[in-house]
Amino acid sequence: MNMKISKIISILILLIFCFTLNATDSLSIHKKHKKILTLTSAAFTISSYTLLYQLWYKNYPQDKFHCFNDNQEWLQMDKVGHAFTTYQLGKYTLNALSWSRCLDEKKKLTGCFSGLFYMAGVEVMDGFSKGWGFSWGDMGANLGGSGLCLLQELMWHEQRTQLKFSFRKTSFPNYRPELLGTKLGEQIIKDYNGQTYWMSFNLSSLLHLPKPFPSWLNLAMGYGADGMTGGSQNIEITDHEGKPLNFERKRQYYLSLDADLSKVKTKFNWLNNIFKAVNCLKFPFPSLELSEKKFKGNLF
């Protein structure tokens, strides 16, 4: 591992570890819960930063810290991804604090903005990468995701509108595997053509709909993009016969239903916890897609 990046990751891990430890100390959590929260946070930070380095930074040269304006790249799919990430990290931190029976109004700020703090570390690593740089646009998106989480907690004490994610495998990594990923795990992170981000609205909570309306049923609006083989523009690509392939870069908008699995209660606590863990993923439902002023339907 590059020594500069290694030192940065080590410092960030230490800072987040101390941040988590300080938060748990100030909340007077039971010793067992405190240890679980602290160790889990440290393990997540170490493993995720290490994985991110292997996927994004390992094969690229390093430089002195600098800023980079990437607001026009990938049809802003990366920005929506940043908001999704900080939102989910904030939501899961709130769930962990609630599980520890220590969540109060003052600690909601700590929980909701844990994702912002974590992603700031990613931006610092970007800032030392020659191929990228520290992005204020990314930081703005990070703030938006954390803000959405906090606003709902302060207003309703629950997440009535959630950011969710779905992915479909595309053919674009075949043309640029070094950029869009060679394996499925890499493509889920790198191939923006296959990603869709959703705002999922819980109808029962927002509209105060009484039973028998299902409390788990959501209305979801999605955003995606397609035809991208480069950040700001496509590079020239040919097929196996040497003929140029011209992909059209386009935005995609979706309307669908969704399931809020956190509203589905069973008599098994382990199953309820699984439902909460996977609730960041959009539940497969048929959808309507608007792309280039054309409507079409998708089965899933």
Side-chain angles (χ1 to χ4, degrees), residues 3 5 21 30 32 50 64 66 107 153 157 184 193 227:
M3 287 301 295
I5 288 294
L21 184 61
H30 185 275
K32 181 179 178 181
T50 301
K64 64 180 180 180
H66 61 284
K107 303 307 179 292
E153 282 299 317
H157 307 288
L184 179 60
N193 299 284

Side-chain angles (χ1 to χ4, degrees), residues 121-140:
V122 177
E123 288 305 318
V124 170
M125 288 191 287
D126 275 350
F128 284 98
S129 178
K130 195 170 184 178
W132 297 283
F134 183 91
S135 170
W136 287 107
D138 287 351
M139 286 302 297

